[in-house]
Amino acid sequence: MPVEFLGIAGTNPASEVTPRSGGPLDLEYTSKLARAHEDNGWDRILFAYHSGSPDPAQVAAYVAGRTERINLVVAHRPNVAYPTLTAKTFATLDHLSGGRFEVHVITGGSTADQAAEGDFLAKDDRYGRTAEFIQILKQAWTSDTRFDFDGKHYRFEQFLADIKPVQQPRPRISFGGSSTAAYAVGAAEADIFALWGEPLAGTREQLATIDAAAARAGRTDRPAIQIAFRPILAPTEELAWEKAERILGRIKDVQAGGVPASARLRSKTPENAGSQRLLKAVAAGERHDRALWTAPTRLTGGGGNSTALVGTPETVATALLDYYDLGIRIFSARGYDIYDDAIDFGRYVIPLVRSEVAHREQRKAS
């Protein structure tokens, strides 16, 4: 599998360093950001989800009409729609996009944010529901005959989708999580297993766990592995670290300004294993390996994609290749100044990584 790059499909310019000044859905900005990714070498963009956000599937359909090449990865929670309806919705989106749709299935790491949409299942039960949800999606997208399903969370009889995806046999399904239940579900069912950016040693440990879970599930291969970082780039190492410190100051300024109404519902102590693992990395130090920096993770309480790679484009590219050497083939990157950083990362980092990967593959083949 060649190396791939996943960016973010933001619906407004806000980030940890930029407070939102307008509404939640700025369509001009949404289009501009998607095209910035498409025009600068990215492969995929993620349409994120939380309980109060604009609907990512509809935003993706809008972006599909304003882009030509880039794949549209729609985050989706199983609790918000029955899987048979979801299968038809996403097959339709695959047609609207000309076969550029993918889905990222979110089990839900915040009990409070799940409850905001009426979901009160315990965490491990949510993972059980996710497993059934993915199984149904796969069958609905590929079955030419009516089928029944009788599970713990879903039950129906004689379903057959008239509309199937353009992509054959079906679109890719990605999944994330770092708990025991998450490893079991993702290793068994996902095409792509998404991780947050930990130090190399912790990442190596997670890969071994996923391999073992995939083997227990009877898979002969493991899912493709995706890992997420926040790139901080500058022409020199000194300037990059100065920029990193300024970003910390900007995060503090935004936090001091109060919590916006659209902020995600999260407990002060994160419930999800992925965030807990990130906070352990923070406790072990702010700098790891070649360029990994955990100070933003400390400030944001381990909230999601928060570990940074700091340095020149050459340093950051080499750091990504360290993870490539572990077997990771998809890199998720989202800067703090989202639009400008998407362009800079695409122009200055992606070509370096692709070139070196191509050289390594040539050496392997010769």
Side-chain angles (χ1 to χ4, degrees), residues 189-206:
E189 302 294 345
D191 302 305
I192 298 168
F193 201 119
L195 302 174
W196 286 330
E198 295 187 17
L200 290 165
T203 303
R204 192 179 292 111
E205 174 188 276
Q206 291 217 73

mmCIF file of all heavy atoms in Angstrom, residues 189-206:
data_model
loop_
_atom_site.group_PDB
_atom_site.id
_atom_site.type_symbol
_atom_site.label_atom_id
_atom_site.label_comp_id
_atom_site.label_asym_id
_atom_site.label_seq_id
_atom_site.Cartn_x
_atom_site.Cartn_y
_atom_site.Cartn_z
ATOM 1 N N GLU A 189 -12.729 -5.886 12.245
ATOM 2 C CA GLU A 189 -13.699 -5.369 11.272
ATOM 3 C C GLU A 189 -13.207 -4.233 10.381
ATOM 4 O O GLU A 189 -13.739 -4.045 9.286
ATOM 5 C CB GLU A 189 -14.963 -4.884 12.021
ATOM 6 C CG GLU A 189 -15.648 -5.940 12.864
ATOM 7 C CD GLU A 189 -16.247 -7.067 12.037
ATOM 8 O OE1 GLU A 189 -16.385 -6.901 10.807
ATOM 9 O OE2 GLU A 189 -16.579 -8.120 12.619
ATOM 10 N N ALA A 190 -12.229 -3.460 10.816
ATOM 11 C CA ALA A 190 -11.875 -2.233 10.090
ATOM 12 C C ALA A 190 -10.903 -2.494 8.943
ATOM 13 O O ALA A 190 -10.087 -3.414 9.002
ATOM 14 C CB ALA A 190 -11.269 -1.211 11.051
ATOM 15 N N ASP A 191 -10.995 -1.654 7.913
ATOM 16 C CA ASP A 191 -9.989 -1.634 6.857
ATOM 17 C C ASP A 191 -8.800 -0.780 7.270
ATOM 18 O O ASP A 191 -7.670 -1.038 6.867
ATOM 19 C CB ASP A 191 -10.580 -1.070 5.561
ATOM 20 C CG ASP A 191 -11.777 -1.864 5.088
ATOM 21 O OD1 ASP A 191 -11.649 -3.086 4.927
ATOM 22 O OD2 ASP A 191 -12.855 -1.253 4.889
ATOM 23 N N ILE A 192 -9.074 0.256 8.064
ATOM 24 C CA ILE A 192 -8.041 1.181 8.542
ATOM 25 C C ILE A 192 -8.219 1.357 10.044
ATOM 26 O O ILE A 192 -9.335 1.624 10.514
ATOM 27 C CB ILE A 192 -8.165 2.554 7.845
ATOM 28 C CG1 ILE A 192 -7.954 2.419 6.337
ATOM 29 C CG2 ILE A 192 -7.172 3.557 8.443
ATOM 30 C CD1 ILE A 192 -8.335 3.674 5.554
ATOM 31 N N PHE A 193 -7.130 1.203 10.802
ATOM 32 C CA PHE A 193 -7.161 1.393 12.251
ATOM 33 C C PHE A 193 -6.413 2.692 12.552
ATOM 34 O O PHE A 193 -5.224 2.806 12.267
ATOM 35 C CB PHE A 193 -6.496 0.214 12.957
ATOM 36 C CG PHE A 193 -6.905 0.062 14.404
ATOM 37 C CD1 PHE A 193 -7.547 -1.082 14.843
ATOM 38 C CD2 PHE A 193 -6.645 1.053 15.327
ATOM 39 C CE1 PHE A 193 -7.923 -1.243 16.169
ATOM 40 C CE2 PHE A 193 -7.012 0.918 16.656
ATOM 41 C CZ PHE A 193 -7.659 -0.238 17.075
ATOM 42 N N ALA A 194 -7.130 3.670 13.135
ATOM 43 C CA ALA A 194 -6.570 4.999 13.369
ATOM 44 C C ALA A 194 -6.052 5.134 14.800
ATOM 45 O O ALA A 194 -6.758 4.805 15.761
ATOM 46 C CB ALA A 194 -7.623 6.064 13.097
ATOM 47 N N LEU A 195 -4.814 5.627 14.917
ATOM 48 C CA LEU A 195 -4.181 5.864 16.208
ATOM 49 C C LEU A 195 -3.818 7.336 16.341
ATOM 50 O O LEU A 195 -3.600 8.021 15.342
ATOM 51 C CB LEU A 195 -2.900 5.040 16.332
ATOM 52 C CG LEU A 195 -3.016 3.523 16.176
ATOM 53 C CD1 LEU A 195 -1.622 2.896 16.180
ATOM 54 C CD2 LEU A 195 -3.886 2.922 17.286
ATOM 55 N N TRP A 196 -3.723 7.816 17.585
ATOM 56 C CA TRP A 196 -3.166 9.141 17.815
ATOM 57 C C TRP A 196 -1.651 9.035 17.947
ATOM 58 O O TRP A 196 -1.110 7.972 18.239
ATOM 59 C CB TRP A 196 -3.788 9.764 19.062
ATOM 60 C CG TRP A 196 -5.196 10.214 18.807
ATOM 61 C CD1 TRP A 196 -5.710 10.653 17.621
ATOM 62 C CD2 TRP A 196 -6.263 10.271 19.743
ATOM 63 N NE1 TRP A 196 -7.029 10.977 17.766
ATOM 64 C CE2 TRP A 196 -7.408 10.759 19.059
ATOM 65 C CE3 TRP A 196 -6.375 9.965 21.096
ATOM 66 C CZ2 TRP A 196 -8.629 10.948 19.681
ATOM 67 C CZ3 TRP A 196 -7.596 10.149 21.715
ATOM 68 C CH2 TRP A 196 -8.714 10.643 21.024
ATOM 69 N N GLY A 197 -0.978 10.147 17.722
ATOM 70 C CA GLY A 197 0.480 10.148 17.638
ATOM 71 C C GLY A 197 1.163 10.009 18.989
ATOM 72 O O GLY A 197 1.301 10.973 19.744
ATOM 73 N N GLU A 198 1.620 8.824 19.282
ATOM 74 C CA GLU A 198 2.390 8.557 20.495
ATOM 75 C C GLU A 198 3.873 8.461 20.154
ATOM 76 O O GLU A 198 4.249 8.379 18.975
ATOM 77 C CB GLU A 198 1.945 7.230 21.118
ATOM 78 C CG GLU A 198 0.529 7.223 21.615
ATOM 79 C CD GLU A 198 0.205 5.930 22.364
ATOM 80 O OE1 GLU A 198 1.146 5.214 22.766
ATOM 81 O OE2 GLU A 198 -0.999 5.643 22.544
ATOM 82 N N PRO A 199 4.747 8.424 21.158
ATOM 83 C CA PRO A 199 6.152 8.099 20.898
ATOM 84 C C PRO A 199 6.279 6.765 20.175
ATOM 85 O O PRO A 199 5.374 5.922 20.230
ATOM 86 C CB PRO A 199 6.770 8.050 22.301
ATOM 87 C CG PRO A 199 5.899 8.955 23.124
ATOM 88 C CD PRO A 199 4.509 8.778 22.582
ATOM 89 N N LEU A 200 7.405 6.564 19.532
ATOM 90 C CA LEU A 200 7.596 5.357 18.724
ATOM 91 C C LEU A 200 7.407 4.081 19.541
ATOM 92 O O LEU A 200 6.802 3.111 19.062
ATOM 93 C CB LEU A 200 8.988 5.376 18.096
ATOM 94 C CG LEU A 200 9.201 6.424 16.994
ATOM 95 C CD1 LEU A 200 10.681 6.597 16.698
ATOM 96 C CD2 LEU A 200 8.443 6.037 15.733
ATOM 97 N N ALA A 201 7.892 4.068 20.773
ATOM 98 C CA ALA A 201 7.786 2.854 21.589
ATOM 99 C C ALA A 201 6.330 2.510 21.871
ATOM 100 O O ALA A 201 5.917 1.346 21.775
ATOM 101 C CB ALA A 201 8.547 3.032 22.899
ATOM 102 N N GLY A 202 5.516 3.510 22.218
ATOM 103 C CA GLY A 202 4.112 3.264 22.472
ATOM 104 C C GLY A 202 3.367 2.846 21.220
ATOM 105 O O GLY A 202 2.473 1.999 21.271
ATOM 106 N N THR A 203 3.741 3.440 20.094
ATOM 107 C CA THR A 203 3.107 3.062 18.829
ATOM 108 C C THR A 203 3.448 1.624 18.469
ATOM 109 O O THR A 203 2.573 0.845 18.045
ATOM 110 C CB THR A 203 3.570 4.009 17.710
ATOM 111 O OG1 THR A 203 3.252 5.359 18.078
ATOM 112 C CG2 THR A 203 2.896 3.671 16.396
ATOM 113 N N ARG A 204 4.701 1.256 18.661
ATOM 114 C CA ARG A 204 5.121 -0.123 18.392
ATOM 115 C C ARG A 204 4.310 -1.103 19.260
ATOM 116 O O ARG A 204 3.875 -2.165 18.793
ATOM 117 C CB ARG A 204 6.616 -0.252 18.673
ATOM 118 C CG ARG A 204 7.246 -1.541 18.166
ATOM 119 C CD ARG A 204 8.729 -1.568 18.456
ATOM 120 N NE ARG A 204 9.471 -0.578 17.679
ATOM 121 C CZ ARG A 204 10.065 0.504 18.187
ATOM 122 N NH1 ARG A 204 10.008 0.743 19.492
ATOM 123 N NH2 ARG A 204 10.717 1.330 17.417
ATOM 124 N N GLU A 205 4.088 -0.736 20.499
ATOM 125 C CA GLU A 205 3.305 -1.572 21.413
ATOM 126 C C GLU A 205 1.869 -1.730 20.913
ATOM 127 O O GLU A 205 1.302 -2.835 20.921
ATOM 128 C CB GLU A 205 3.317 -0.912 22.799
ATOM 129 C CG GLU A 205 2.444 -1.546 23.843
ATOM 130 C CD GLU A 205 2.403 -0.692 25.110
ATOM 131 O OE1 GLU A 205 3.305 -0.827 25.944
ATOM 132 O OE2 GLU A 205 1.462 0.122 25.233
ATOM 133 N N GLN A 206 1.259 -0.622 20.447
ATOM 134 C CA GLN A 206 -0.120 -0.698 19.934
ATOM 135 C C GLN A 206 -0.201 -1.569 18.685
ATOM 136 O O GLN A 206 -1.152 -2.344 18.513
ATOM 137 C CB GLN A 206 -0.651 0.701 19.633
ATOM 138 C CG GLN A 206 -0.888 1.559 20.852
ATOM 139 C CD GLN A 206 -2.118 2.437 20.702
ATOM 140 O OE1 GLN A 206 -3.251 1.960 20.759
ATOM 141 N NE2 GLN A 206 -1.888 3.717 20.496
#
